[in-house]
Amino acid sequence: MKVFSVFFFLLATVVAASHGSQDSSDSSCLSWRFAVEANNIRGWKTVPKECEKYVGHYMLGYQYRKDSKAVTDEAWRYVNSLKLPRDGRNIWIFDVDETSISHVPFFSKHGFGTEPINKTLAYEWVNKSKAPALPESLELYRKLLSLGIKVVFLTGRDEEWRKVSATNLKNVGYHTWEQLILRASSYPTNATVESFKSNEKRKLEEIYGYRIIGNIGDQWADIQGIHRGNRTFKLPNPMYYAP
């Protein structure tokens, strides 16, 4: 599966490059994406239809990978600047979807976020456990482990997806973790991602006694709220919004 992950991203880059550079008419979509990533546009349901081509070029091309690498490189510089106590309590929190693994293969067949997500088709895709790793995140994960920092995966997926989530993560190279936290069936269905993750991070610190050194995700909801950690890092994702 590691080979598949690398192959997919290399193939995607070649395909995008073969379509040439983006048209100047895409400038308004670039501005839309910038506003989304800066969290100035919130609560949006779908990508503007006229931006499907732009978002597709971005996600399959060089820039998405470069932007992701800029984030993970900065995360690595940050952690290398720290003098951490070696007491086994240092953890780094990774979101799962569009952070540790990528659903670009799915969204490339469904309008790159311009269409409302078909839950039936999305669940079929997730159930295959074939989402490739985001290479930059996987590299950061390995580096953190080499420093003795433990990894916690914290996802808004429901508990029923534990097995397929663990399988997918292991298949693409995430072989070990301290905890894999999913949303329990008893958790209020109307709770936001931010409130759920904030509460779980609170428990990690107050109940389990961990020290959250860093926290990385593709949604602002992943990195906002209380108990967010010593430093947060936002990966790009213009395909969907989670409050």
Side-chain angles (χ1 to χ4, degrees):
M1 292 304 296
K2 176 184 176 183
V3 174
F4 170 79
S5 301
V6 175
F7 173 76
F8 170 77
F9 278 101
L10 289 174
L11 178 61
T13 300
V14 171
V15 170
S18 69
H19 283 78
S21 59
Q22 295 173 354
D23 191 273
S24 59
S25 62
D26 287 335
S27 60
S28 61
C29 293
L30 188 154
S31 297
W32 174 84
R33 181 175 67 84
F34 177 82
V36 163
E37 296 297 356
N39 207 27
N40 291 320
I41 297 178
R42 305 179 184 183
W44 51 279
K45 302 299 182 183
T46 58
V47 174
K49 187 62 180 178
E50 63 271 20
C51 295
E52 177 178 353
K53 179 182 176 183
Y54 168 82
V55 173
H57 274 294
Y58 174 74
M59 297 304 299
L60 294 176
Y62 296 101
Q63 197 60 51
Y64 173 58
R65 292 289 305 280
K66 287 182 177 179
D67 291 349
S68 298
K69 188 175 188 302
V71 176
T72 56
D73 281 353
E74 182 60 27
W76 181 238
R77 280 191 289 269
Y78 153 71
V79 78
N80 263 320
S81 71
L82 304 176
K83 293 183 178 180
L84 299 173
R86 296 184 176 275
D87 56 7
R89 296 193 296 116
N90 301 314
I91 64 170
W92 192 287
I93 295 178
F94 280 78
D95 172 51
V96 173
D97 300 305
E98 263 58 64
T99 297
S100 304
I101 57 177
S102 170
H103 299 298
V104 169
F106 173 82
F107 283 100
S108 66
K109 298 179 180 179
H110 300 283
F112 289 103
T114 59
E115 305 170 6
I117 296 177
N118 183 311
K119 290 187 177 180
T120 299
L121 295 177
Y123 290 165
E124 288 178 357
W125 160 255
V126 171
N127 201 44
K128 294 177 181 178
S129 298
K130 289 186 176 181
L134 183 63
E136 288 71 29
S137 294
L138 182 57
E139 181 181 3
L140 175 63
Y141 161 87
R142 289 169 173 163
K143 288 179 176 179
L144 292 171
L145 291 183
S146 73
L147 293 182
I149 297 174
K150 298 175 179 178
V151 167
V152 170
F153 290 107
L154 175 56
T155 173
R157 291 184 178 196
D158 292 336
E159 180 65 32
E160 63 182 292
W161 297 100
R162 175 171 295 278
K163 183 177 180 179
V164 296
S165 301
T167 298
N168 201 152
L169 288 167
K170 289 182 178 180
N171 281 347
V172 298
Y174 299 98
H175 296 303
T176 185
W177 50 78
E178 189 71 2
Q179 291 191 35
L180 170 58
I181 303 172
L182 297 91
R183 189 190 294 248
S185 57
S186 59
Y187 209 83
T189 56
N190 61 345
T192 64
V193 173
E194 180 178 321
S195 64
F196 162 69
K197 292 196 170 185
S198 291
N199 186 52
E200 294 302 318
K201 285 178 280 189
R202 177 191 62 79
K203 289 192 287 187
L204 286 168
E205 290 185 323
E206 295 182 355
I207 297 177
Y208 295 101
Y210 290 119
R211 185 183 302 110
I212 302 175
I213 300 303
N215 179 13
I216 188 168
D218 67 291
Q219 299 289 328
W220 283 96
D222 298 330
I223 59 177
Q224 291 183 321
I226 59 173
H227 301 274
R228 67 187 68 180
N230 293 356
R231 179 85 185 265
T232 62
F233 297 88
K234 169 72 169 64
L235 287 165
N237 180 9
M239 298 187 298
Y240 60 84
Y241 176 89

